[in-house]
């Protein structure tokens, strides 16, 4: 039930709620908490050396999962694994764990580890280490536990000044001063100022950058807020410092451990607003995201507002929500061997496991991303209790690839893929990780082509269907082939000219000629153009599949007809004959045909000369067949060559007269 404030019920409140970006788990705490949950998930009996964080809810959750809290390694039972919290621990504890073979996971924050190392290095008989911080804080105890001699722990600048006043009178040593990681920055600056008034002092800026940013932001936010809520554990040093910082800047500042405590708060009697309330929320490094959210939700119970105003909605709006299936952007903050951490702009820590980064077994996270990269991700699982989100880059990549496929369908882009196998009704082609089904009717140009011949081949295809819901795509190789053929045809007709020479494959043969593919377009070589010899069928000269060098004899662009020539001039028997023979030459050849007026004698293949009946003998021949038969070999003289009419006259008679040959007519009469 909302309390009422009669002075304000008629006022429409404009409420602005700002949650500090740095509120909640820092990376060091997050890392240590995750280590414990990780051990628990493996079923390992787990103990933490002290409470893993200063947050009762998280500690209780871990206890419910069987995690014990021990104050010393001596309390660890056999078989248990120890997780060292982000605060770290002293060197004695490490030695005990190692000497007793107790397995442990070291969650010491790297910032804390740095101070431990500085303290260990500086502490000597010639140098006194001074730690500025809470004496009882485990981090401070841990740092002191790494010193070779006793460290001095001081709470603030005044105590430091008091200590240093007499130190140099009593000791001939230098001093090394360092604050704990979560110390108040302004208080540390005062300590530094004190240290500078002495000589022989070295100071180390060991406040962690996360703390600096958190405190700076809290200070600015508190300055600008009417009400400031600091959420965190009562034992948490960094939360208490945040509260101190905020209280100094904002008159109405509250420290709560969780949402229940917020309910018990009473607004100060002097608190009022005149239409505007600015509320700021920040939280310590040990505060899980879900607690910050619960606090936000409960705040509506504490503030009086106009009935029309939904305070909860207003606060909700200041939180970026995240749900399973959301597509989000994440900044890479950490890279490990098997996962990366990302900042997704909410109070959760995002994780992308290696198998959600890539399918490639040869790649490690560092091969894929680098710190600071902004990557697109899909939310797989949100765990508000742990403040974690599991995400996948791979799914986004697959989605992106499918988006490309959808776009390719829309704009007709030709894609490439490798045919993996023949399936019922077609083939499957893998393109950018997506299996595309290509139906038989769309796989080849001709039905007689075998689908098996496509397997393992890279094919070009068009997407004819892309189902975004089912992530299924249908492709067509044939449409690409048709398109390519049409483009080749258009180009051919644009440029083709009589005399152009092509090399082309014989695609088919008919009784009147052979059809040759000129690259997308077919031309015909007429039977008469195939050979200088007389042939009865084109198959005497060419076969389907032969590659011929042809030239365009004639083309009709309107009718789309092309006549091709194949015979070459240099092969023309007349050309050969004229080059080798002259009138007067005696030639021996076979009779190839006999007519009533004479006999044809083959001089060379394709060239016959006529021995007229009057030129067969020096005697009178009345019937050629009485003297000569087809196949007879005769020697005759070339008496005349009519190149224009391609006629050759020959005479046996003249050679008889010259005594060069015997008279065949004599042989006939002798018989
Ligand atoms: Fe480490 Fe700083 Fe957090 S020291 S544990 S990152 S507050």
């Amino acid at each position: 039930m909302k309390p009422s404030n009669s002075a304000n019920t008629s006022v429409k409140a404009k409420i602005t709620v700002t949650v500090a970006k740095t509120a909640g788990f820092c990376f060091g705490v997050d890392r240590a908490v995750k280590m414990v949950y990780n051990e628990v998930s493996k079923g390992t009996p787990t103990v933490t050396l002290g409470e893993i964080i200063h947050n009762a809810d998280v500690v209780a959750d871990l206890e419910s999962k069987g995690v014990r809290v021990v104050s010393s390694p001596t309390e660890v039972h056999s078989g248990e694994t120890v997780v060292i919290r982000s605060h770290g621990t002293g060197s004695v504890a490490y030695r005990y764990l190692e000497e007793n073979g107790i397995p442990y996971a070291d969650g010491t924050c790297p910032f804390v580890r740095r101070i431990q190392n500085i303290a260990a290095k500086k502490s000597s008989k010639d140098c006194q280490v001074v730690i500025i911080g809470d004496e009882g804080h485990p981090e401070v105890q841990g740092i002191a536990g790494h010193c070779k001699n006793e460290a001095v722990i001081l709470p603030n600048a005044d105590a430091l000044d008091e200590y240093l006043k007499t130190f140099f009178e009593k000791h001939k040593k230098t001093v090394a001063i360092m604050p704990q990681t979560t110390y108040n920055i302004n208080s540390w600056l005062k300590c530094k100022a004190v240290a500078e008034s002495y000589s022989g002092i070295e100071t180390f800026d060991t406040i962690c950058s996360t703390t600096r940013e958190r405190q700076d932001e809290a200070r600015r936010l508190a300055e600008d807020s009417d009400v400031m809520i600091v959420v965190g554990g009562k034992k948490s040093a960094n939360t208490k410092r945040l509260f101190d910082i905020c209280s100094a800047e904002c008159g109405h500042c509250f420290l709560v451990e969780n949402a229940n405590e917020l309910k018990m708060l009473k607004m100060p009697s002097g608190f009022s607003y005149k239409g505007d309330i600015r509320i700021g929320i920040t939280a310590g490094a040990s505060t899980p995201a879900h607690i910050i959210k619960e606090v936000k939700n409960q705040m509506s119970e504490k503030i009086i507002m106009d009935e029309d105003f939904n305070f909860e909605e207003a606060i909700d709006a200041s939180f970026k929500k995240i749900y399973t299936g959301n597509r989000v952007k994440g900044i890479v903050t950490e890279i490990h061997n098997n996962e990366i951490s990302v900042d997704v702009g909410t109070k959760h820590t995002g994780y992308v496991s290696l198998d959600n980064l890539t399918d490639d077994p040869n790649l490690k996270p560092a091969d894929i991303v680098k710190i600071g990269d902004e990557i697109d991700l899909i939310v797989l699982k949100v765990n508000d209790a742990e403040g974690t989100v599991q995400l996948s880059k791979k799914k986004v990549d697959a989605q992106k690839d499918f988006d490309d496929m959808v776009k390719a369908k829309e704009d007709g882009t030709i894609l490439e893929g490798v045919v993996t196998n023949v399936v019922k009704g077609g083939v499957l082609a893998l393109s950018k990780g997506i299996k595309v089904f290509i139906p038989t009717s769309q796989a080849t140009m001709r039905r007689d082509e075998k689908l098996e011949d496509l397997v393992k081949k890279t094919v070009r295809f068009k997407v004819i269907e892309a189902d975004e819901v089912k992530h299924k795509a249908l492709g067509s190789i044939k449409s690409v082939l048709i398109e390519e053929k049409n483009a080749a045809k258009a180009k051919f007709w644009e440029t083709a000219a009589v005399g152009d020479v092509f090399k082309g494959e014989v695609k088919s043969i008919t009784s009147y000629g052979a059809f040759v593919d000129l690259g997308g377009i077919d031309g015909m070589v007429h039977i008469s153009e195939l050979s200088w010899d007389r042939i009865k069928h084109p198959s005497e000269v060419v076969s389907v599949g032969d590659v011929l060098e042809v030239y365009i004899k004639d083309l009709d662009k309107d009718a789309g007809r092309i006549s091709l020539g194949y015979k070459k001039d240099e092969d023309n028997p007349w050309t050969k004959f004229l080059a080798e023979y002259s009138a007067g030459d005696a030639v021996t050849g076979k009779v190839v045909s006999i007519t009533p007026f004479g006999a044809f004698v083959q001089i060379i293949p394709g060239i016959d000369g006529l021995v007229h009946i009057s030129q067969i003998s020096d005697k009178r021949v009345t019937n050629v067949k009485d003297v000569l038969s087809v196949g007879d070999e005769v020697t005759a003289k070339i008496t005349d060559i009519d190149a224009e009419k391609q006629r050759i006259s020959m005479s046996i008679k003249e050679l008889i007269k010259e005594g060069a040959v015997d008279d065949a007519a004599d042989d006939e009469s002798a018989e």
Side-chain angles (χ1 to χ4, degrees), residues 414-418 430-432 458-461:
I414 295 171
L415 300 179
E416 275 195 355
V418 175
L430 193 63
S431 176
K432 290 182 168 183
T458 299
V459 293
R460 287 152 52 76
F461 66 91

Side-chain angles (χ1 to χ4, degrees), residues 319-339:
F319 279 81
K320 186 178 164 191
K321 295 188 178 77
I322 194 161
Y323 299 105
T324 299
N326 279 171
R327 190 162 166 160
V328 295
K329 286 195 183 297
I331 308 280
V332 178
T333 54
E334 286 179 51
I335 299 177
H336 304 285
N337 259 351
N338 291 311
E339 68 175 14

Side-chain angles (χ1 to χ4, degrees), residues 460-635:
R460 287 152 52 76
F461 66 91
K462 279 193 163 193
V463 183
I464 51 178
E465 249 182 75
D467 187 327
E468 289 179 71
V469 179
K470 293 180 185 162
H471 261 225
K472 285 189 176 166
L474 219 70
S476 169
I477 298 171
K478 190 175 171 180
S479 61
V480 176
L481 295 175
I482 289 173
E483 210 168 80
E484 286 174 347
K485 193 171 178 180
N486 289 340
K489 266 187 191 173
K491 190 171 175 209
F492 178 88
W493 286 115
E494 216 174 273
T495 56
V498 170
D500 285 355
V501 177
F502 294 87
K503 270 195 176 168
E505 191 180 318
V506 176
K507 289 289 177 191
S508 61
I509 292 175
T510 66
S511 59
Y512 50 87
F515 286 88
V516 177
D517 177 14
L518 303 179
I521 193 160
D522 288 350
M524 192 188 74
V525 188
H526 191 265
I527 185 169
S528 61
E529 283 298 328
L530 280 170
S531 174
W532 290 105
D533 293 334
R534 276 183 292 274
I535 54 169
K536 290 192 179 125
H537 196 273
S539 59
E540 290 174 37
V541 183
V542 292
S543 305
V544 171
D546 284 356
V547 175
L548 307 184
E549 187 173 278
V550 292
Y551 64 94
I552 297 177
K553 273 180 77 72
D554 190 21
L555 47 78
D556 181 342
K557 291 191 180 182
D558 295 333
R561 264 198 309 268
I562 309 157
S563 299
L564 300 172
Y566 175 60
K567 293 188 302 191
K568 295 195 174 54
D569 254 358
E570 59 264 34
D571 298 331
N572 186 339
W574 262 99
T575 309
K576 282 185 180 174
F577 170 77
L578 291 174
E580 290 174 24
Y581 296 91
S582 309
D585 289 351
V587 180
T588 301
K590 281 193 173 160
V591 175
V592 289
S593 63
I594 288 177
T595 66
F597 53 86
F600 283 94
V601 176
Q602 188 183 67
I603 302 170
I604 57 172
I607 299 294
D608 303 337
L610 173 66
V611 183
H612 192 265
I613 190 168
S614 61
Q615 297 300 315
I616 290 174
S617 171
D618 59 351
K619 300 188 179 61
R620 188 164 184 275
V621 177
T622 51
N623 188 349
V624 180
K625 287 185 179 171
D626 291 343
V627 183
L628 295 172
S629 303
V630 171
D632 286 352
E633 190 169 89
V634 297
T635 301

Side-chain angles (χ1 to χ4, degrees), residues 34 64 142 146 191 217 219 231 250 295 319 337 339 385 488 584 605 616:
K34 200 174 158 227
S64 73
H146 283 266
C191 291
E217 192 188 13
R219 186 175 292 107
V231 191
C250 174
V295 167
F319 279 81
N337 259 351
E339 68 175 14
I616 290 174

Side-chain angles (χ1 to χ4, degrees), residues 25-30 86-87 107-112 139 181-182 206-211 214 238 285:
F25 273 13
C26 64
F27 94 92
V29 166
D30 180 62
S86 57
H87 299 131
T108 305
C109 172
F111 288 114
V112 177
E139 178 197 325
T181 54
T182 51
T206 48
I207 296 175
C208 85
S209 55
T210 308
T211 299
R214 188 192 304 272
N238 80 83

Side-chain angles (χ1 to χ4, degrees), residues 55-345:
N55 185 280
D57 290 34
V58 174
V59 173
D61 182 55
L62 287 172
E63 264 176 14
S64 73
K65 291 178 166 58
V67 177
R68 294 198 309 125
V69 179
V70 295
S71 54
S72 156
T74 56
E75 297 166 31
V76 178
H77 299 156
S78 168
E80 286 179 324
T81 291
V82 178
V83 178
I84 297 170
R85 56 189 170 177
S86 57
H87 299 131
T89 188
S91 54
V92 175
Y94 282 102
R95 207 174 310 128
Y96 184 89
L97 291 170
E98 274 155 23
E99 284 174 0
N100 290 279
I102 299 170
Y104 68 91
D106 194 349
T108 305
C109 172
F111 288 114
V112 177
R113 167 79 63 220
R114 178 172 168 255
I115 314 184
Q116 291 174 346
N117 291 340
I118 293 171
K121 198 172 158 196
K122 285 288 158 189
S123 60
S124 67
K125 64 177 174 36
D126 298 322
C127 180
Q128 176 62 52
V129 168
V130 175
I131 305 164
I132 305 292
D134 294 344
E135 189 169 8
H137 195 278
E139 178 197 325
V140 175
Q141 289 300 319
I143 297 165
H146 283 266
C147 292
K148 295 184 197 83
N149 49 18
E150 199 173 340
V152 169
I153 301 163
L154 299 170
N156 52 38
D158 289 345
L160 179 67
D161 197 21
E162 205 57 41
Y163 175 75
L164 293 175
K165 264 181 196 163
T166 55
F167 178 84
F168 293 106
E169 291 166 12
K170 295 183 199 160
H171 308 281
K172 285 203 165 62
K173 285 184 177 184
T174 57
V175 176
I177 308 176
M178 59 208 74
Q180 74 176 103
T181 54
T182 51
Y183 196 68
N184 183 314
I185 297 160
N186 287 343
S187 302
W188 170 238
L189 293 177
K190 285 182 192 160
C191 291
K192 279 179 85 171
V194 168
E196 276 166 19
S197 60
Y198 296 86
S199 55
I201 295 179
E202 207 177 350
T203 56
F204 295 88
D205 290 324
T206 48
I207 296 175
C208 85
S209 55
T210 308
T211 299
R212 283 172 192 271
E213 284 160 21
R214 188 192 304 272
Q215 291 179 359
D216 282 348
E217 192 188 13
R219 186 175 292 107
R220 287 195 304 272
L221 186 57
E223 262 174 23
D224 289 342
S225 298
D226 299 305
V227 178
M228 191 72 199
I229 308 289
V230 180
V231 191
K234 298 277 169 26
K235 287 191 267 177
S236 162
N238 80 83
T239 304
K240 276 189 266 172
R241 288 200 186 91
L242 273 184
F243 178 69
D244 291 345
I245 289 166
C246 293
S247 299
E249 307 296 339
C250 174
H252 305 297
C253 186
F254 303 96
L255 171 59
V256 295
E257 203 154 81
N258 52 39
N260 289 336
E261 289 190 8
L262 188 72
K263 281 181 188 168
M264 293 183 292
L265 292 182
K266 283 197 170 63
M267 295 304 288
S269 53
F271 178 75
S272 65
Y273 60 89
K274 294 188 180 74
D276 279 2
I277 305 175
R278 296 162 304 167
I279 298 169
I281 302 175
T282 187
S286 314
T287 311
H290 73 279
I291 293 183
I292 302 172
K293 189 170 180 182
E294 279 164 19
V295 167
K296 170 263 305 185
N297 288 339
Q298 292 291 336
M299 281 174 71
S300 58
E301 300 293 326
K302 298 303 302 172
I303 307 289
I304 305 144
M305 68 199 68
D306 188 279
E307 282 178 1
D308 294 341
F309 191 87
N310 188 329
F311 183 75
E312 196 156 328
E313 271 175 19
I315 296 176
D316 251 343
S318 72
F319 279 81
K320 186 178 164 191
K321 295 188 178 77
I322 194 161
Y323 299 105
T324 299
N326 279 171
R327 190 162 166 160
V328 295
K329 286 195 183 297
I331 308 280
V332 178
T333 54
E334 286 179 51
I335 299 177
H336 304 285
N337 259 351
N338 291 311
E339 68 175 14
I340 61 167
S341 301
V342 289
D343 178 354
V344 289

